[in-house]
Amino acid sequence: MGPIPFDNTYVQLPEAFYTRLGPREVKTPGAIKVNRELASLLGIDPDWLESPEGVATVAGNYLPPGAAPLAAVYAGHQFGSYNPQLGDGRALLLGEVLSTQGHRYDIQLKGSGPTPYSRGGDGRSPLGPVLREYIVSEAMHALGVPSTRALAAVTTGEQVTRDSFLPGAVLARVASSHIRFGTFQFFSAQKNLDALKTLASYCVQRHYPERAQADNPALALLQAVTAAQAALIPRWQLLGFIHGVMNTDNMLICGETIDYGPCAFMDEFDPAKVFSSIDHGGRYAYRNQPGIAHWNLAVLAQALLPVLHEDQDKAVELAQATVDEFPALFEAAHLRGLADKLGFDEIRESDKAIVDELFELMASEKLDFTLCFRRLYDLACNPDQQVAELFEFPDALVPWLSRWRQRLDTDQLADNTRAERMAMANPAFIARNHLVEEAIRAGEDEGDFGPFFKLIERLSGPGQYNAAARHYASPPLAGQEVAQTFCGT
Ligand code: AMP
Ligand code: MG
């Protein structure tokens, strides 16, 4: 066995699912960072991954034994318009591994060169988006949000041409799988029912084995994916995270967050907030995310229709009934998360006005989303009042705060349980845009990865504030705000 304990299954699916090809060599692979903890989890020796051979592997210059690289094909709705063929245009699945805990993961190289699905693109990635994805995906993981992860990042020693020349890089990305809603759309549009059935069964077995005995794998899959999305999207909402490009090719069947292109955490709360430079209509604004997730599920259901039931009316009925569970499932998970943020045992019917009013005040007062909730944690259970130096509620919140206090006084939760839940639900550190930008600028402009390393380190412990790290918890100063974020293309 080689240095990566490959155990590949996707490559055993029919050839219509992918094109087999290797990465294209780069000029001079250079190490940026290896995620040692994740490497160990995957059964990869972190020292090997940091060695020249490991770095060459991530760069695509060396194929370790057992790798079976392939570019997967998929389709997708991009900003609402159907694109019948996308696919891994700048990425390759190197292979799969079973973690030390027995969980199966894809290892993918992103930025590894052109493939048959590149549609004229160069198959490469500039350094900036690689650093961004590394920082934000690992921050999401540390916050407990299901997410793809970053195993390693390397430079290529080559330049990529965008509006200007930029240093090139490759990211080794890890996901429970990279199978997308759009993968089903591709086969549905091709009327390839065998492929749809095969893929549905494969996904149920791989991601939702508890449903593997279901008589109707396609229905079991749709139910599981609906539940997974209804668990995921509230986590974004509760952290002020804006994905930015919720196209159906960027929605994973496994329920992890993927594609950290034009994403951002909000500083000041604004429900209409959009960061993506290409989202002119605000389709993927913060407040639209739950509705878009529901829409995306309807698209997945549509793709699955031919294999849900032989009778088309029955198929539509099953699809509709399943997808229509999303709003209630979302609402329940969202309320559970809000209860944890506010320090309540649960959100009672009579609490809904308190919740709504808080969000209205946060918007009208332009309060910092993260610090506002972290300050509530301080006020409810932290005698050190730590973030008071960074954030204090304005006078407009005084009546609201006293109602919240009264409600807390009647709450059932034990103090230590409340403190634990509130600290977790109200992190002090999120991947603030201006800090991400600062780390990217230092790396891209000066080859200085110090700020990148420090930011990753800080974001790995989002729940524990200390004053020495106040720089990382502080909102942007005037002039530091980042107004737009970009796709990595
Ligand atoms: P994304 O915006 O990352 O979701 O990518 C959408 C589609 O465009 C996917 O099929 C990508 O593989 C493809 N793509 C993005 N950037 C490039 C590139 N530089 N070269 C080739 N294909 C790309
Ligand atoms: Mg994508």
Side-chain angles (χ1 to χ4, degrees), residues 141-338:
H141 171 75
L143 289 163
V145 183
S147 176
T148 64
R149 299 195 61 190
L151 176 62
V154 302
T155 49
T156 60
E158 294 175 1
Q159 294 202 310
V160 295
T161 316
R162 297 294 182 262
D163 290 339
S164 57
F165 294 111
L166 297 166
V170 181
L171 179 76
R173 173 162 73 185
V174 170
S176 287
S177 89
H178 288 82
I179 302 168
R180 300 144 196 270
F181 287 20
T183 317
F184 285 90
Q185 286 181 272
F186 177 79
F187 293 116
S188 190
Q190 304 249 317
K191 305 208 185 317
N192 186 342
L193 302 199
D194 286 342
L196 273 181
K197 279 185 200 155
T198 301
L199 187 60
S201 297
Y202 177 86
C203 288
V204 173
Q205 274 163 29
R206 179 162 173 182
H207 298 305
Y208 304 104
E210 68 284 2
R211 298 180 192 249
Q213 302 310 320
D215 307 332
N216 185 339
L219 182 62
L221 182 69
L222 187 60
Q223 289 166 337
V225 174
T226 301
Q229 289 285 301
L232 177 66
I233 310 299
R235 306 301 310 275
W236 296 357
Q237 299 304 98
L238 292 162
L239 291 165
F241 176 77
I242 301 171
H243 181 279
V245 60
M246 288 177 72
N247 296 336
T248 55
D249 56 305
N250 290 332
M251 297 291 117
L252 291 185
I253 293 292
C254 68
E256 290 169 0
T257 311
I258 192 173
D259 200 318
Y260 291 96
C263 65
F265 288 87
M266 267 190 278
D267 297 304
E268 284 175 1
F269 180 60
D270 171 6
K273 188 74 189 166
V274 172
F275 286 96
S276 171
S277 60
I278 54 173
D279 190 358
H280 305 298
R283 178 180 170 90
Y284 298 140
Y286 172 79
R287 65 176 165 215
N288 293 348
Q289 294 188 132
I292 289 290
H294 192 192
W295 190 89
N296 287 340
L297 285 165
V299 168
L300 175 65
Q302 175 90 34
L304 285 168
L305 277 184
V307 292
L308 275 175
H309 203 285
E310 297 155 357
D311 175 340
Q312 209 188 329
D313 292 341
K314 277 260 162 43
V316 170
E317 219 172 273
L318 288 170
Q320 192 77 50
T322 305
V323 170
D324 282 352
E325 285 170 17
F326 177 81
L329 292 173
F330 171 87
E331 171 87 350
H334 191 231
L335 288 176
R336 178 67 255 149
L338 284 169

Side-chain angles (χ1 to χ4, degrees), residues 74 86-87 89-90 118-119 121-124 162 249-250 259 489:
Y74 52 86
L86 296 161
R90 55 164 161 177
S118 297
R119 299 175 298 142
D122 62 0
R124 294 298 185 191
R162 297 294 182 262
D249 56 305
N250 290 332
D259 200 318
T489 43

